[in-house]
Amino acid sequence: MTSPRSSPTPRRADAEQNRCKILAAARTVFASADDDVSMAEVSRRAGVGMATLYRNFPGRRELLEAIYADEVDAICAAAGTIEAGSAQGALVAWLREFFGFVTSKRHVAAELLEHTDRNDPVFGDSRSRVIAAGRPLLAAAQAAQEVREDLTLEQVLDMVHAIAKIPSGSEYVEPILQACLDGLRPVQPHAAALPMH
Amino acid sequence: MTSPRSSPTPRRADAEQNRCKILAAARTVFASADDDVSMAEVSRRAGVGMATLYRNFPGRRELLEAIYADEVDAICAAAGTIEAGSAQGALVAWLREFFGFVTSKRHVAAELLEHTDRNDPVFGDSRSRVIAAGRPLLAAAQAAQEVREDLTLEQVLDMVHAIAKIPSGSEYVEPILQACLDGLRPVQPHAAALPMH
Protein backbone atom coordinates (compact mmCIF):
# COMPACT_ATOMS: atom_id res chain seq x y z
CA MET A 1 0.00 0.00 0.00
CA THR A 2 1.25 3.50 -0.77
CA SER A 3 0.79 6.50 1.47
CA PRO A 4 -2.69 8.09 1.32
CA ARG A 5 -1.27 11.43 0.17
CA SER A 6 0.21 10.19 -3.05
CA SER A 7 -2.10 7.24 -3.50
CA PRO A 8 -3.30 7.76 -7.09
CA THR A 9 -0.14 9.35 -8.44
CA PRO A 10 2.40 6.53 -8.11
CA ARG A 11 -0.11 4.07 -9.43
CA ARG A 12 -0.74 6.25 -12.45
CA ALA A 13 2.96 6.81 -12.85
CA ASP A 14 3.54 3.05 -12.70
CA ALA A 15 0.78 2.43 -15.17
CA GLU A 16 2.16 5.07 -17.50
CA GLN A 17 5.63 3.59 -17.17
CA ASN A 18 4.36 0.10 -17.94
CA ARG A 19 2.55 1.39 -20.97
CA CYS A 20 5.72 3.09 -22.20
CA LYS A 21 7.80 -0.01 -21.58
CA ILE A 22 5.31 -2.14 -23.49
CA LEU A 23 5.18 0.25 -26.43
CA ALA A 24 8.98 0.54 -26.59
CA ALA A 25 9.35 -3.24 -26.45
CA ALA A 26 6.66 -3.75 -29.07
CA ARG A 27 8.32 -1.25 -31.41
CA THR A 28 11.64 -3.09 -31.06
CA VAL A 29 10.05 -6.47 -31.52
CA PHE A 30 8.02 -5.41 -34.55
CA ALA A 31 11.10 -3.75 -36.06
CA SER A 32 13.34 -6.79 -35.71
CA ALA A 33 10.92 -9.53 -36.59
CA ASP A 34 10.13 -10.43 -40.15
CA ASP A 35 7.20 -12.49 -39.12
CA ASP A 36 4.41 -12.59 -36.63
CA VAL A 37 5.31 -11.52 -33.16
CA SER A 38 3.61 -13.02 -30.15
CA MET A 39 2.18 -11.01 -27.30
CA ALA A 40 4.30 -13.25 -25.06
CA GLU A 41 7.49 -11.94 -26.61
CA VAL A 42 6.36 -8.35 -26.14
CA SER A 43 5.60 -9.11 -22.52
CA ARG A 44 9.01 -10.73 -22.01
CA ARG A 45 10.94 -7.85 -23.60
CA ALA A 46 8.97 -5.22 -21.74
CA GLY A 47 9.57 -7.03 -18.47
CA VAL A 48 5.91 -6.94 -17.56
CA GLY A 49 3.55 -9.82 -16.93
CA MET A 50 1.00 -10.97 -19.44
CA ALA A 51 -1.76 -9.68 -17.17
CA THR A 52 -0.28 -6.18 -17.26
CA LEU A 53 0.21 -6.37 -20.98
CA TYR A 54 -3.38 -7.42 -21.61
CA ARG A 55 -4.71 -4.86 -19.13
CA ASN A 56 -3.02 -2.16 -21.24
CA PHE A 57 -3.65 -3.68 -24.63
CA PRO A 58 -6.44 -6.25 -24.81
CA GLY A 59 -5.01 -7.60 -28.05
CA ARG A 60 -2.45 -7.36 -30.74
CA ARG A 61 -4.59 -4.94 -32.67
CA GLU A 62 -4.84 -2.42 -29.82
CA LEU A 63 -1.06 -2.59 -29.43
CA LEU A 64 -0.50 -1.97 -33.13
CA GLU A 65 -2.95 0.92 -33.04
CA ALA A 66 -1.11 2.57 -30.17
CA ILE A 67 2.27 2.28 -31.95
CA TYR A 68 0.71 3.58 -35.12
CA ALA A 69 -0.83 6.56 -33.32
CA ASP A 70 2.58 7.42 -31.83
CA GLU A 71 4.14 7.40 -35.28
CA VAL A 72 1.40 9.56 -36.71
CA ASP A 73 2.04 11.98 -33.84
CA ALA A 74 5.71 12.10 -34.83
CA ILE A 75 4.90 12.86 -38.50
CA CYS A 76 2.49 15.60 -37.48
CA ALA A 77 5.01 17.10 -35.07
CA ALA A 78 7.71 17.05 -37.75
CA ALA A 79 5.58 19.28 -39.99
CA GLY A 80 5.89 22.05 -37.41
CA THR A 81 9.59 21.73 -36.68
CA ILE A 82 11.23 20.91 -40.00
CA GLU A 83 13.90 23.40 -41.12
CA ALA A 84 14.98 24.01 -44.69
CA GLY A 85 16.29 26.83 -46.83
CA SER A 86 13.04 27.25 -48.73
CA ALA A 87 9.34 26.53 -48.47
CA GLN A 88 9.74 23.89 -51.16
CA GLY A 89 12.68 22.37 -49.28
CA ALA A 90 10.62 22.14 -46.10
CA LEU A 91 7.74 20.46 -47.90
CA VAL A 92 10.04 17.96 -49.59
CA ALA A 93 11.87 17.20 -46.35
CA TRP A 94 8.57 16.53 -44.64
CA LEU A 95 7.34 14.36 -47.52
CA ARG A 96 10.53 12.33 -47.13
CA GLU A 97 9.67 11.85 -43.45
CA PHE A 98 6.26 10.65 -44.52
CA PHE A 99 7.85 8.34 -47.07
CA GLY A 100 10.07 6.88 -44.35
CA PHE A 101 7.02 6.43 -42.15
CA VAL A 102 5.28 4.42 -44.86
CA THR A 103 8.26 2.31 -45.93
CA SER A 104 10.13 1.64 -42.73
CA LYS A 105 9.88 -1.85 -41.36
CA ARG A 106 9.66 -0.36 -37.93
CA HIS A 107 6.26 0.93 -38.77
CA VAL A 108 3.25 -1.12 -38.36
CA ALA A 109 0.74 0.32 -40.77
CA ALA A 110 1.04 -2.60 -43.15
CA GLU A 111 0.43 -5.15 -40.46
CA LEU A 112 -2.29 -3.09 -38.88
CA LEU A 113 -4.02 -3.02 -42.25
CA GLU A 114 -4.25 -6.78 -42.13
CA HIS A 115 -6.17 -6.53 -38.90
CA THR A 116 -8.27 -3.56 -39.86
CA ASP A 117 -10.51 -2.29 -42.59
CA ARG A 118 -8.86 0.47 -44.60
CA ASN A 119 -11.90 2.63 -43.91
CA ASP A 120 -11.53 2.11 -40.20
CA PRO A 121 -11.58 5.39 -38.21
CA VAL A 122 -8.02 4.61 -37.06
CA PHE A 123 -6.81 5.31 -40.58
CA GLY A 124 -9.31 7.99 -41.50
CA ASP A 125 -8.46 9.95 -38.40
CA SER A 126 -4.71 9.56 -38.90
CA ARG A 127 -4.99 10.66 -42.48
CA SER A 128 -6.94 13.76 -41.44
CA ARG A 129 -4.33 14.60 -38.83
CA VAL A 130 -1.41 14.17 -41.23
CA ILE A 131 -3.16 16.26 -43.86
CA ALA A 132 -3.96 19.02 -41.39
CA ALA A 133 -0.35 19.06 -40.21
CA GLY A 134 1.17 19.18 -43.68
CA ARG A 135 -1.21 21.56 -45.38
CA PRO A 136 0.60 24.74 -44.26
CA LEU A 137 3.84 23.40 -45.75
CA LEU A 138 2.26 22.90 -49.17
CA ALA A 139 0.41 26.22 -48.98
CA ALA A 140 3.64 28.06 -48.18
CA ALA A 141 5.54 26.37 -51.03
CA GLN A 142 2.73 27.12 -53.48
CA ALA A 143 2.47 30.74 -52.30
CA ALA A 144 6.22 31.08 -52.89
CA GLN A 145 5.66 29.66 -56.42
CA GLU A 146 8.13 26.92 -55.61
CA VAL A 147 5.62 24.09 -56.02
CA ARG A 148 2.97 23.57 -58.70
CA GLU A 149 -0.55 24.76 -57.93
CA ASP A 150 -2.55 21.92 -59.41
CA LEU A 151 -2.12 19.41 -56.60
CA THR A 152 -3.74 19.24 -53.18
CA LEU A 153 -1.86 17.82 -50.22
CA GLU A 154 -4.06 14.73 -50.43
CA GLN A 155 -2.81 14.15 -53.95
CA VAL A 156 0.81 14.81 -53.02
CA LEU A 157 0.61 12.39 -50.10
CA ASP A 158 -1.10 9.73 -52.23
CA MET A 159 1.71 10.12 -54.76
CA VAL A 160 4.40 9.62 -52.12
CA HIS A 161 2.42 6.77 -50.57
CA ALA A 162 2.07 5.03 -53.93
CA ILE A 163 5.82 5.24 -54.54
CA ALA A 164 6.53 4.00 -51.01
CA LYS A 165 4.52 0.87 -51.73
CA ILE A 166 6.69 -0.17 -54.69
CA PRO A 167 7.96 -3.55 -53.50
CA SER A 168 11.68 -3.00 -54.10
CA GLY A 169 14.72 -1.91 -52.13
CA SER A 170 15.46 1.71 -51.30
CA GLU A 171 18.27 2.03 -53.87
CA TYR A 172 15.75 1.19 -56.57
CA VAL A 173 12.89 3.30 -55.22
CA GLU A 174 14.86 6.40 -54.19
CA PRO A 175 15.42 7.78 -57.74
CA ILE A 176 11.72 7.22 -58.47
CA LEU A 177 10.77 9.19 -55.38
CA GLN A 178 13.23 11.93 -56.36
CA ALA A 179 11.71 12.20 -59.85
CA CYS A 180 8.22 12.52 -58.38
CA LEU A 181 9.35 15.15 -55.88
CA ASP A 182 11.09 17.02 -58.71
CA GLY A 183 7.77 16.83 -60.54
CA LEU A 184 6.30 19.08 -57.84
CA ARG A 185 8.26 21.99 -59.31
CA PRO A 186 6.09 24.55 -61.05
CA VAL A 187 5.07 23.45 -64.50
CA GLN A 188 6.61 26.40 -66.34
CA PRO A 189 9.67 27.57 -64.48
CA HIS A 190 10.32 31.21 -65.33
CA ALA A 191 13.91 30.45 -66.29
CA ALA A 192 12.82 27.99 -68.96
CA ALA A 193 10.69 30.66 -70.59
CA LEU A 194 13.63 33.06 -70.91
CA PRO A 195 14.94 33.62 -74.39
CA MET A 196 18.10 31.61 -74.96
CA HIS A 197 20.13 34.58 -76.22
CA MET B 1 -17.63 -33.66 -93.49
CA THR B 2 -15.69 -31.10 -95.54
CA SER B 3 -14.03 -31.82 -98.86
CA PRO B 4 -10.68 -33.66 -98.63
CA ARG B 5 -8.79 -30.80 -100.33
CA SER B 6 -9.57 -28.14 -97.77
CA SER B 7 -10.09 -30.47 -94.85
CA PRO B 8 -7.82 -28.89 -92.22
CA THR B 9 -8.19 -25.29 -93.31
CA PRO B 10 -11.89 -24.60 -92.70
CA ARG B 11 -11.69 -26.38 -89.41
CA ARG B 12 -8.75 -24.22 -88.38
CA ALA B 13 -10.51 -21.13 -89.67
CA ASP B 14 -13.64 -22.06 -87.69
CA ALA B 15 -11.58 -22.72 -84.62
CA GLU B 16 -9.77 -19.41 -85.00
CA GLN B 17 -13.06 -17.63 -85.49
CA ASN B 18 -14.54 -19.21 -82.40
CA ARG B 19 -11.51 -18.24 -80.40
CA CYS B 20 -11.82 -14.64 -81.59
CA LYS B 21 -15.54 -14.53 -80.84
CA ILE B 22 -14.93 -15.86 -77.35
CA LEU B 23 -12.16 -13.37 -76.64
CA ALA B 24 -14.21 -10.45 -77.94
CA ALA B 25 -17.21 -11.52 -75.87
CA ALA B 26 -15.08 -12.02 -72.79
CA ARG B 27 -13.53 -8.57 -73.16
CA THR B 28 -17.00 -7.01 -73.39
CA VAL B 29 -18.30 -8.99 -70.47
CA PHE B 30 -15.30 -8.25 -68.26
CA ALA B 31 -15.51 -4.57 -69.21
CA SER B 32 -19.17 -4.17 -68.32
CA ALA B 33 -19.36 -6.27 -65.21
CA ASP B 34 -18.40 -4.97 -61.82
CA ASP B 35 -18.39 -8.40 -60.35
CA ASP B 36 -17.58 -11.96 -61.18
CA VAL B 37 -18.52 -13.07 -64.64
CA SER B 38 -19.53 -16.63 -65.34
CA MET B 39 -18.15 -18.75 -68.15
CA ALA B 40 -21.80 -19.33 -69.11
CA GLU B 41 -22.28 -15.64 -69.84
CA VAL B 42 -19.16 -15.56 -72.00
CA SER B 43 -20.45 -18.57 -73.89
CA ARG B 44 -23.87 -16.96 -74.40
CA ARG B 45 -22.44 -13.63 -75.62
CA ALA B 46 -19.96 -15.31 -77.94
CA GLY B 47 -22.70 -17.49 -79.42
CA VAL B 48 -20.70 -20.65 -78.90
CA GLY B 49 -21.55 -23.68 -76.83
CA MET B 50 -19.99 -24.37 -73.47
CA ALA B 51 -18.11 -27.32 -74.99
CA THR B 52 -16.47 -25.03 -77.54
CA LEU B 53 -15.68 -22.47 -74.88
CA TYR B 54 -14.05 -25.01 -72.60
CA ARG B 55 -12.18 -26.63 -75.50
CA ASN B 56 -10.59 -23.23 -76.21
CA PHE B 57 -10.19 -22.14 -72.62
CA PRO B 58 -10.28 -24.89 -70.03
CA GLY B 59 -11.04 -22.36 -67.33
CA ARG B 60 -11.55 -18.78 -66.38
CA ARG B 61 -7.85 -18.33 -65.76
CA GLU B 62 -6.84 -19.39 -69.27
CA LEU B 63 -9.41 -16.99 -70.68
CA LEU B 64 -8.08 -14.12 -68.58
CA GLU B 65 -4.52 -14.96 -69.60
CA ALA B 66 -5.41 -14.83 -73.28
CA ILE B 67 -7.10 -11.43 -72.92
CA TYR B 68 -4.17 -10.17 -70.91
CA ALA B 69 -1.67 -11.37 -73.51
CA ASP B 70 -3.63 -9.56 -76.23
CA GLU B 71 -3.49 -6.35 -74.24
CA VAL B 72 0.22 -6.71 -73.63
CA ASP B 73 0.64 -7.19 -77.38
CA ALA B 74 -1.20 -3.91 -77.94
CA ILE B 75 1.05 -2.01 -75.50
CA CYS B 76 4.15 -3.44 -77.11
CA ALA B 77 2.91 -2.60 -80.59
CA ALA B 78 2.09 0.96 -79.52
CA ALA B 79 5.73 1.53 -78.57
CA GLY B 80 6.69 1.12 -82.20
CA THR B 81 3.96 3.21 -83.77
CA ILE B 82 3.45 6.16 -81.42
CA GLU B 83 3.97 9.57 -83.01
CA ALA B 84 4.93 12.72 -81.18
CA GLY B 85 6.86 15.92 -81.77
CA SER B 86 9.78 14.87 -79.59
CA ALA B 87 11.44 11.82 -78.12
CA GLN B 88 10.18 12.88 -74.70
CA GLY B 89 6.67 13.34 -76.10
CA ALA B 90 6.72 9.84 -77.57
CA LEU B 91 7.87 8.31 -74.30
CA VAL B 92 5.21 10.16 -72.31
CA ALA B 93 2.47 9.24 -74.80
CA TRP B 94 3.46 5.60 -74.52
CA LEU B 95 3.59 5.77 -70.72
CA ARG B 96 0.05 7.14 -70.82
CA GLU B 97 -0.99 4.11 -72.91
CA PHE B 98 0.59 1.92 -70.27
CA PHE B 99 -1.22 3.85 -67.53
CA GLY B 100 -4.51 3.29 -69.35
CA PHE B 101 -3.69 -0.39 -69.65
CA VAL B 102 -3.19 -0.64 -65.89
CA THR B 103 -6.19 1.45 -64.83
CA SER B 104 -8.86 0.61 -67.33
CA LYS B 105 -11.68 -1.55 -66.08
CA ARG B 106 -11.58 -3.34 -69.38
CA HIS B 107 -8.28 -4.82 -68.45
CA VAL B 108 -8.06 -7.94 -66.52
CA ALA B 109 -4.69 -7.82 -64.87
CA ALA B 110 -6.20 -7.13 -61.48
CA GLU B 111 -8.55 -10.06 -61.66
CA LEU B 112 -5.92 -12.28 -63.16
CA LEU B 113 -3.69 -11.45 -60.21
CA GLU B 114 -6.30 -12.96 -57.93
CA HIS B 115 -6.01 -16.23 -59.82
CA THR B 116 -2.26 -16.16 -60.24
CA ASP B 117 0.92 -15.69 -58.30
CA ARG B 118 2.55 -12.34 -59.06
CA ASN B 119 5.74 -14.23 -59.86
CA ASP B 120 3.93 -16.41 -62.36
CA PRO B 121 5.67 -16.55 -65.76
CA VAL B 122 2.57 -14.93 -67.29
CA PHE B 123 3.49 -11.70 -65.56
CA GLY B 124 7.24 -12.04 -65.72
CA ASP B 125 7.10 -12.64 -69.44
CA SER B 126 4.68 -9.77 -70.05
CA ARG B 127 6.83 -7.43 -68.03
CA SER B 128 9.91 -8.43 -70.05
CA ARG B 129 8.05 -7.85 -73.29
CA VAL B 130 6.74 -4.44 -72.25
CA ILE B 131 10.18 -3.40 -71.06
CA ALA B 132 11.85 -4.55 -74.26
CA ALA B 133 9.27 -2.67 -76.32
CA GLY B 134 9.56 0.58 -74.37
CA ARG B 135 13.30 0.67 -73.82
CA PRO B 136 14.11 2.36 -77.18
CA LEU B 137 11.66 5.16 -76.35
CA LEU B 138 13.39 5.92 -73.06
CA ALA B 139 16.84 5.58 -74.62
CA ALA B 140 15.94 8.04 -77.38
CA ALA B 141 14.50 10.57 -74.92
CA GLN B 142 17.55 10.31 -72.69
CA ALA B 143 19.92 10.59 -75.67
CA ALA B 144 18.08 13.77 -76.68
CA GLN B 145 18.57 15.05 -73.09
CA GLU B 146 14.83 15.43 -72.81
CA VAL B 147 14.47 12.93 -69.95
CA ARG B 148 16.59 12.48 -66.82
CA GLU B 149 19.34 9.89 -66.97
CA ASP B 150 19.01 8.40 -63.51
CA LEU B 151 16.01 6.17 -64.13
CA THR B 152 15.73 2.86 -65.96
CA LEU B 153 12.59 1.92 -67.86
CA GLU B 154 11.78 -0.55 -65.09
CA GLN B 155 11.77 2.31 -62.61
CA VAL B 156 9.71 4.57 -64.87
CA LEU B 157 7.13 1.83 -65.43
CA ASP B 158 6.98 1.03 -61.72
CA MET B 159 6.37 4.72 -61.06
CA VAL B 160 3.49 4.88 -63.54
CA HIS B 161 2.13 1.56 -62.28
CA ALA B 162 2.20 2.78 -58.67
CA ILE B 163 0.26 5.92 -59.60
CA ALA B 164 -2.22 3.86 -61.62
CA LYS B 165 -3.02 1.83 -58.53
CA ILE B 166 -4.10 4.84 -56.47
CA PRO B 167 -7.70 3.91 -55.69
CA SER B 168 -9.39 7.14 -56.81
CA GLY B 169 -11.10 8.48 -59.90
CA SER B 170 -9.23 9.70 -62.95
CA GLU B 171 -9.86 13.39 -62.22
CA TYR B 172 -8.05 12.96 -58.93
CA VAL B 173 -5.22 10.79 -60.24
CA GLU B 174 -4.54 12.60 -63.53
CA PRO B 175 -2.71 15.62 -62.02
CA ILE B 176 -0.62 13.22 -59.91
CA LEU B 177 0.36 11.31 -63.03
CA GLN B 178 1.15 14.56 -64.80
CA ALA B 179 3.42 15.71 -61.96
CA CYS B 180 5.31 12.40 -62.06
CA LEU B 181 5.69 12.56 -65.84
CA ASP B 182 6.92 16.16 -65.52
CA GLY B 183 9.41 14.83 -62.98
CA LEU B 184 11.04 12.86 -65.81
CA ARG B 185 12.43 16.12 -67.18
CA PRO B 186 16.18 16.47 -66.79
CA VAL B 187 17.17 17.49 -63.29
CA GLN B 188 19.02 20.64 -64.32
CA PRO B 189 17.43 22.05 -67.44
CA HIS B 190 19.97 24.14 -69.33
CA ALA B 191 17.64 27.11 -69.38
CA ALA B 192 17.46 27.18 -65.62
CA ALA B 193 21.23 27.42 -65.40
CA LEU B 194 21.35 30.48 -67.64
CA PRO B 195 22.15 33.77 -65.99
CA MET B 196 18.98 35.78 -65.47
CA HIS B 197 20.38 38.93 -67.13
Side-chain angles (χ1 to χ4, degrees):
Chain A
M1 297 296 271
T2 52
S3 73
R5 187 182 57 88
S6 55
S7 162
T9 318
R11 271 205 228 145
R12 278 203 206 117
D14 281 359
E16 187 60 32
Q17 204 178 0
N18 277 337
R19 196 184 153 85
C20 285
K21 281 196 287 189
I22 292 167
L23 282 176
R27 257 192 293 271
T28 309
V29 165
F30 284 117
S32 59
D34 289 318
D35 245 321
D36 266 7
V37 169
S38 68
M39 291 293 270
E41 188 169 348
V42 173
S43 147
R44 191 183 58 74
R45 290 242 195 171
V48 305
M50 288 297 276
T52 302
L53 173 55
Y54 279 109
R55 197 163 52 240
N56 277 275
F57 302 100
R60 189 183 173 79
R61 180 187 152 157
E62 286 78 7
L63 186 53
L64 286 164
E65 279 182 9
I67 299 176
Y68 185 75
D70 274 5
E71 294 178 350
V72 171
D73 286 346
I75 290 292
C76 292
T81 57
I82 237 156
E83 292 190 6
S86 67
Q88 185 261 358
L91 173 67
V92 165
W94 182 70
L95 291 174
R96 285 188 166 279
E97 291 267 336
F98 176 74
F99 180 83
F101 164 72
V102 179
T103 52
S104 171
K105 268 196 190 166
R106 284 188 299 113
H107 303 296
V108 295
E111 194 181 348
L112 189 53
L113 272 172
E114 287 172 19
H115 293 249
T116 313
D117 187 321
R118 223 212 130 146
N119 296 318
D120 191 281
V122 172
F123 285 104
D125 180 54
S126 300
R127 186 174 158 88
S128 307
R129 284 168 58 213
V130 170
I131 287 167
R135 214 188 290 283
L137 290 173
L138 177 62
Q142 286 175 331
Q145 297 192 303
E146 293 169 4
V147 161
R148 59 198 298 151
E149 301 265 348
D150 61 348
L151 292 175
T152 63
L153 187 65
E154 285 85 343
Q155 287 167 313
V156 173
L157 288 175
D158 279 347
M159 176 184 85
V160 173
H161 193 258
I163 302 306
K165 285 192 295 183
I166 293 174
S168 298
S170 62
E171 278 189 31
Y172 181 88
V173 178
E174 166 56 33
I176 306 176
L177 174 66
Q178 187 59 55
C180 292
L181 294 175
D182 287 345
L184 297 178
R185 292 174 299 181
V187 182
Q188 296 287 348
H190 294 296
L194 286 178
M196 296 290 283
H197 50 269
Chain B
M1 296 294 272
T2 53
S3 73
R5 188 182 58 87
S6 56
S7 161
T9 319
R11 270 204 228 145
R12 279 204 206 114
D14 282 359
E16 187 58 35
Q17 204 178 1
N18 277 337
R19 196 184 152 86
C20 284
K21 281 196 288 189
I22 293 167
L23 282 176
R27 257 191 293 272
T28 309
V29 165
F30 285 116
S32 59
D34 289 318
D35 245 321
D36 266 6
V37 169
S38 69
M39 291 292 271
E41 187 169 350
V42 173
S43 148
R44 192 182 58 74
R45 290 241 195 172
V48 304
M50 288 297 275
T52 303
L53 174 55
Y54 279 109
R55 197 165 51 241
N56 278 276
F57 302 100
R60 190 185 172 79
R61 180 185 151 159
E62 285 78 8
L63 187 54
L64 286 163
E65 279 182 8
I67 299 177
Y68 185 76
D70 273 6
E71 294 179 349
V72 171
D73 286 345
I75 291 292
C76 293
T81 57
I82 238 157
E83 293 189 6
S86 67
Q88 186 261 358
L91 173 67
V92 165
W94 183 70
L95 291 173
R96 285 187 167 281
E97 291 268 336
F98 176 75
F99 180 84
F101 165 72
V102 179
T103 52
S104 169
K105 268 196 190 165
R106 283 189 297 113
H107 302 295
V108 296
E111 194 182 347
L112 189 52
L113 271 172
E114 286 171 20
H115 294 249
T116 311
D117 187 320
R118 225 211 130 147
N119 297 318
D120 192 280
V122 172
F123 285 103
D125 180 54
S126 300
R127 186 173 158 88
S128 307
R129 284 168 58 211
V130 170
I131 287 167
R135 214 188 290 281
L137 291 172
L138 177 62
Q142 286 174 331
Q145 298 193 301
E146 293 169 4
V147 162
R148 59 198 298 152
E149 301 265 348
D150 61 347
L151 292 174
T152 64
L153 187 65
E154 286 85 343
Q155 288 168 313
V156 174
L157 288 176
D158 279 348
M159 177 184 85
V160 173
H161 193 257
I163 301 306
K165 286 192 296 183
I166 293 174
S168 297
S170 62
E171 277 190 33
Y172 181 87
V173 178
E174 166 57 32
I176 306 176
L177 174 65
Q178 188 59 55
C180 292
L181 294 175
D182 288 344
L184 296 178
R185 291 175 301 183
V187 182
Q188 296 288 348
H190 294 295
L194 286 177
M196 297 290 282
H197 50 268

